[in-house]
Amino acid sequence: MTRVVLLAGPSGSGKSRLAHLVGALPLRLDDFYKDADHPGLPRAHGIVDWDDPATWDAAGAVDALAQLVREGRCAVPEYSIAQSRRVGTRTLELDGADLVIAEGIFAIDLLPIARAAGLDVDAIYLDRSRWLVGFLRLRRDLSQHRKPPLVLLRRGWALLRSQGVLRSRAIAAGFTPLTMRRAVQSLSAQRTS
């Protein structure tokens, strides 16, 4: 039976890396962002507020996750952060995988929707130092040319300051906070038992 984990944490905290380290099939929730020209997207600091759940297709994400679990495969969008739009689709297949990690900053928002859809999911919050996360996020975003450097610095500072609120929100929603090391140990141990 395939186990599904929703993995939340701040942008840049290592969610994708954790999925890779434990050999899980990753479902990137960031691929369900709406295109930048979608009508009515919320704005902050003169740009689209990509940290607002209204910029994201929660229904599409839970539908894909449900189809993956029930049918063994699903179509998911491919999203370009740099272009702020979907650039294609790809097929995700279980192919015998016993662990799926649906990871992204909106995992917290997805938890009640996934459970309401009848999905049995565990919820982990990747709990790391805000200074480490800020450094990792900036390094990743600059190397991938995600946005102009000034935008990355401004957004990064705001995210660094709000990380404690995100953590509290995750815990209140039912997520278990784990360090990277504890999350790897926990997920690896459960796969071998």
Side-chain angles (χ1 to χ4, degrees):
M1 178 174 202
T2 302
R3 178 173 174 224
V4 178
V5 173
L6 293 184
L7 181 60
S11 175
S13 61
K15 297 178 296 294
S16 298
R17 182 171 182 262
L18 175 59
H20 175 75
L21 287 172
V22 299
L25 178 66
L27 175 65
R28 296 184 314 246
L29 297 176
D30 287 357
D31 282 336
F32 291 89
Y33 271 115
K34 297 174 183 173
D35 290 351
D37 58 0
H38 190 278
L41 292 182
R43 301 184 77 76
H45 311 293
I47 61 170
V48 173
D49 182 2
W50 296 110
D51 299 307
D52 187 311
T55 62
W56 187 68
D57 179 13
V62 81
D63 287 347
L65 188 56
Q67 185 178 12
L68 179 63
V69 170
R70 294 182 183 129
E71 299 175 22
R73 66 186 328 199
C74 67
V76 294
E78 289 185 333
Y79 194 89
S80 167
I81 299 284
Q83 296 177 44
S84 298
R85 71 180 54 262
R86 293 178 182 194
V87 294
T89 59
R90 64 187 171 91
T91 300
L92 195 60
E93 296 188 53
L94 281 180
D95 198 28
D98 63 349
L99 177 62
V100 173
I101 293 184
E103 55 88 9
I105 66 168
F106 296 120
I108 298 168
D109 303 286
L110 191 62
L111 181 59
I113 300 167
R115 289 187 172 157
L119 292 171
D120 182 20
V121 296
D122 293 326
I124 295 174
Y125 177 83
L126 193 52
D127 198 11
R128 302 180 89 182
S129 155
R130 68 183 185 143
W131 298 107
L132 173 62
V133 170
F135 168 75
L136 293 173
R137 178 177 45 244
L138 183 60
R139 184 179 69 181
R140 176 202 64 196
D141 292 351
L142 286 171
S143 72
Q144 294 178 5
H145 307 286
R146 287 186 163 201
K147 301 290 179 204
L150 186 56
V151 170
L152 295 176
L153 287 170
R154 204 171 36 204
R155 179 177 177 270
W157 181 249
L159 291 174
L160 184 105
R161 291 177 39 220
S162 66
Q163 187 168 321
V165 173
L166 181 67
R167 182 183 190 278
S168 296
R169 201 172 132 238
I171 292 169
F175 281 74
T176 302
L178 296 175
T179 64
M180 177 69 84
R181 181 180 304 226
R182 290 289 298 136
V184 168
Q185 290 170 345
S186 175
L187 292 170
S188 298
Q190 291 173 14
R191 293 187 74 194
T192 58
S193 59

